[in-house]
Amino acid sequence: MSTVPFTKEEPDPVTATRVLVLNSGSSSLKYQLLDMARPSPTTLNGAETDSSRLASGIVERIGEAGGVADHSAALKQVADELSSQGLGLDSPELAAVGHRVVHGGTRFTEPTLITDEVVSEIEKLVPLAPLHNPANVTGIKVARELRPDLPQVAVFDTAFHSGMPEAAARYAIDRATADRYGVRRYGFHGTSHAYVSRATAALLGKEPSEVNVIVLHLGNGASASAVRGGVCVDTSMGLTPLEGLVMGTRSGDIDPAVVFHLARVAGLGVDDIDNLLNKRSGLVGLCGDNDMREIGRRIAEDDADAQLAFDVYVHRLRKYVGAYSAVLGRVDAIAFTAGVGENSAAVREAALIGLEPLGIEIDAVRNAVRGSAARLVSTRTSRVAVAVVPTDEELEIAQQAYSLVRP
Ligand code: ADP
């Protein structure tokens, strides 16, 4: 593999409009290079098409057989791929690197310019996100080694939820214990909830401050949020991404005593139970599949286990729609996003059917139409707009990073 010669040119204040977004996982590195001066889904007007995305890709199996050795080698591979497209990381057009960081704790509530001190603060949050933050930190470190002169910005998955009122953020447990160990509700997928709630306001022709939106981010991980006037007031994930909705492999809400019961009666250890609830629960635990497409196919063949998994998933979703309707009081829109939310008409319909008393009328015909653009799937008389809004976490991270370095 060739290495790229870095000339470490200073970002040019006039032409530096590109942002490299890095999403660094334990064994993968996803990247996108965006040009903020070009039309993107949030700035498009009519005739233009999205040309902001210059390059994207993923390096997988980092540290595994057949993959590159480590994150440093992975980033060099990304740099080589970009160079071969004439988009080298040595370009003066690069304005910043935006890093997705999963847990910001109570310390980070805004996109943050990365310094040595910020890196060590993110490392201190590792106990809150042992699977994610170490990989995020590694990504930051290798990117800083490669371009130490370039502004690097951390964008936190928890940040959008940091304005939640204490009533929503607190668990009702002993306060001294909670405060000592940082036990509170942080929420995740914040970048997506922020982007989708704003895009939903735009779809309605309103400012974010004018609308109350329930966002349902249904991917492999899934979370709901209640957003009042652009501010998140509640969300379904908590201390970790395990709480809330039924997910691909995670249980979501359970009675915490299930943990004690399994420890005492089944003799399981803490790590076994952690693994059970995070990896072998949710849809996969109920029916053996975590892909909603496969579950749909099995239901069409009258598979009872797949039907049960679907029913449990949808029941939980309806409960959160009801709960967040009450939290918000007035709901202007419900937005479905991520893999399941954007693609499964069956989940959307099952989640909202019969909710006319809440002002929610989903239109079966509009809902069944597939599409890649943000669109309404409610009836024209529905008091609450129901929308399908594709999420774009990379664009949101790029915009947040860019606005920090080019205010
Ligand atoms: P991640 O949380 O990993 O980013 P995504 O948002 O990409 O996940 O969602 C992945 C999930 O989306 C898949 O596991 C699958 O259940 C679901 N999905 C993707 N396409 C479809 C589809 N056409 N119909 C139903 N579900 C889909």
Side-chain angles (χ1 to χ4, degrees), residues 187-406:
F188 299 87
H189 289 145
T191 310
S192 177
H193 287 285
Y195 178 86
V196 170
S197 57
R198 278 209 320 274
T200 304
L203 185 67
L204 301 180
K206 300 259 174 72
E207 291 298 320
S209 60
E210 297 174 307
V211 293
N212 295 345
V213 186
I214 297 173
V215 179
L216 303 171
H217 176 111
L218 311 177
N220 230 326
S223 63
S225 68
V227 183
R228 176 182 288 133
V231 177
C232 180
V233 293
D234 204 352
T235 193
S236 61
M237 285 178 168
L239 175 76
T240 76
L242 183 56
E243 191 180 343
L245 300 176
V246 176
M247 312 183 207
T249 65
R250 294 178 217 147
S251 62
D253 296 334
I254 54 163
D255 180 345
V258 168
V259 177
F260 322 140
H261 182 78
L262 289 174
R264 290 182 189 129
V265 177
L268 296 182
V270 169
D271 291 336
D272 298 329
I273 301 173
D274 189 331
N275 187 274
L276 173 80
L277 297 180
N278 275 294
K279 305 263 173 67
R280 295 190 285 124
S281 296
L283 294 172
V284 88
L286 288 165
C287 77
D289 269 310
N290 62 345
D291 191 317
M292 198 53 88
R293 285 164 290 200
E294 189 53 31
I295 290 170
R297 275 192 283 274
R298 286 173 57 183
I299 289 173
E301 292 165 5
D302 293 328
D303 183 314
D305 293 343
Q307 185 66 57
L308 176 68
F310 183 88
D311 292 347
V312 174
Y313 183 97
V314 164
H315 180 74
R316 186 81 51 83
L317 202 50
R318 287 172 75 88
K319 286 215 285 197
Y320 271 90
V321 169
Y324 288 175
S325 296
V327 166
L328 291 172
R330 189 199 80 227
V331 181
D332 298 298
I334 298 172
F336 287 88
T337 195
V340 176
E342 291 168 32
N343 295 299
S344 176
V347 166
R348 293 193 298 261
E349 179 168 325
L352 300 183
I353 199 90
L355 297 186
E356 290 79 10
L358 295 180
I360 303 165
E361 296 172 21
I362 190 160
D363 183 318
V365 176
R366 293 171 108 186
N367 184 45
V369 177
R370 296 190 60 84
S372 56
R375 59 198 183 276
L376 291 174
V377 297
S378 39
T379 63
R380 286 169 217 288
T381 54
S382 184
R383 189 157 46 76
V384 178
V386 181
V388 178
V389 180
T391 192
D392 197 335
E393 289 164 281
E394 289 78 13
L395 177 60
E396 177 72 19
I397 291 170
Q399 285 174 337
Q400 292 196 14
Y402 192 62
S403 57
L404 193 68
V405 302
R406 299 282 303 276

